[in-house]
């Protein structure tokens, strides 16, 4: 059995993290992507237990109080958190576990799992980021404004991460994530 590992993927909402991860999983089905808990309402097509575990705020607060979340944060009016049990079990089993989380959560993981590999995905520009969020057509105008406001703060924190990857050309960005994950450290520049 291989050695378990924790990998954090962060970047502003709409930069393409979820899309990159879906392609990465198709190519590397042995990776495990943690399913987060959120108080956000499901978007069209989102499935409970697959995209997220959708919970009420009291349920979320109970999970926090009982120490069930590895990290959690409030983002654009909703709460998001990583269920501890599944992640710890998968790492124990030797799996490589990926967390797709925002900046506050990534900072928490840096303290609790200093050996985690932390990658930050950047948009080619903020205007392209806005195009992608709008193009996704899943968020209200209010939610879009809040996400773009957060994006500025998040992008300015990119240097806190081990690796920064610009998601301009999708295949190139995906290739860089693969290099960061699978190639020896000397190959990463
Ligand atoms: N390289 C790319 N070029 C153009 N469009 C892209 C690229 N990567 C992703 N997209 C598109 O950008 C939109 C947002 O992508 P996605 O939902 O994966 O972002 P996200 O970072 O996971 O957002 P959130 O954090 O809000 O869940 C999608 O419509 C996706 O198809
Ligand atoms: N700190 C955490 N952030 C998380 C988690 N799951 C998702 N996220 C991040 O929230 C925003 C918004 O997501 P959306 O699905 O509403 O667009 C995005 O940046 C996600 O990466 C989590 O468990 N903890």
């Amino acid at each position: 059995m291989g050695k378990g590992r924790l990998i954090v993927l962060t970047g502003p909402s709409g930069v393409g993290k979820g899309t990159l991860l879906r392609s990465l999983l198709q190519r590397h089905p042995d990776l495990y992507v943690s399913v987060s808990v959120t108080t956000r309402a499901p978007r069209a097509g989102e499935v409970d237990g697959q995209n997220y575990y959708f919970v009420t705020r009291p349920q979320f607060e109970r999970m926090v109080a009982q120490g069930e979340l590895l990290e959690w944060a409030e983002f654009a009016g909703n709460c998001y958190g990583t269920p501890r049990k599944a992640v710890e079990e998968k790492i124990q089993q030797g799996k490589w576990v990926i967390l797709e989380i925002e900046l506050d959560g990534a900072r928490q993981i840096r303290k609790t799992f200093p050996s985690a590999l932390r990658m930050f995905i950047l948009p080619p520009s903020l205007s392209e980021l806005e195009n992608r969020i709008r193009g996704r057509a899943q968020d209200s105008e209010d939610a879009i404004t809040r996400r773009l406001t957060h994006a500025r703060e998040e992008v300015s924190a990119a240097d806190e991460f081990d690796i920064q990857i610009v998601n301009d050309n999708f295949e190139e960005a995906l290739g860089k994530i693969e290099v960061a994950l699978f190639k020896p450290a000397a190959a990463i520049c």
Side-chain angles (χ1 to χ4, degrees):
M1 193 168 64
K3 197 164 175 284
R5 191 180 184 198
L6 192 62
I7 296 135
V8 173
L9 196 70
T10 299
S13 173
V15 74
K17 304 180 296 296
T19 314
L20 286 164
L21 274 185
R22 279 192 292 281
S23 292
L24 189 70
L25 263 187
Q26 277 175 1
R27 294 195 195 181
H28 307 280
D30 281 354
L31 295 171
Y32 173 78
V33 178
S34 165
V35 179
S36 296
V37 178
T38 185
T39 61
R40 168 167 77 60
R43 294 182 180 131
E46 284 186 329
V47 178
D48 188 45
Q50 271 180 35
N51 303 92
Y52 281 105
Y53 296 105
F54 295 99
V55 296
T56 61
R57 200 169 267 259
Q59 284 173 324
F60 190 94
E61 285 166 0
R62 213 171 304 130
M63 294 181 86
V64 172
Q66 291 174 351
E68 291 176 23
L69 301 179
L70 209 53
E71 60 72 36
W72 70 274
E74 189 148 3
F75 178 89
N78 294 296
C79 296
Y80 298 82
T82 302
R84 177 188 300 279
K85 192 160 170 269
V87 171
E88 289 181 346
E89 278 175 5
K90 296 290 176 188
I91 291 178
Q92 197 71 30
Q93 290 163 14
K95 289 265 186 192
W96 288 18
V97 176
I98 305 185
L99 311 184
E100 188 218 312
I101 59 178
E102 52 67 69
L103 181 61
D104 274 4
R107 284 175 169 158
Q108 293 167 44
I109 294 293
R110 183 181 198 174
K111 289 190 186 137
T112 51
F113 283 85
S115 62
L117 174 68
R118 301 176 327 120
M119 288 188 253
F120 194 93
I121 309 297
L122 286 153
S125 66
L126 288 173
S127 61
E128 170 62 12
L129 182 69
E130 180 168 358
N131 289 341
R132 288 185 193 174
I133 297 181
R134 291 190 183 283
R136 186 167 67 180
Q138 293 273 19
D139 301 293
S140 67
E141 197 54 38
D142 183 43
I144 292 172
T145 305
R146 280 188 279 180
R147 281 159 192 265
L148 289 172
T149 304
H150 267 286
R152 290 171 200 281
E153 185 205 340
E154 294 190 299
V155 164
S156 68
D159 285 351
E160 293 177 22
F161 287 71
D162 302 313
I163 293 162
Q164 297 77 25
I165 293 170
V166 178
N167 180 20
D168 188 357
N169 178 292
F170 185 84
E171 287 301 321
E172 273 181 28
L174 187 57
K176 285 181 181 170
I177 293 175
E178 286 181 305
V179 169
L181 287 178
F182 300 112
K183 292 281 187 319
I188 302 168
C189 52

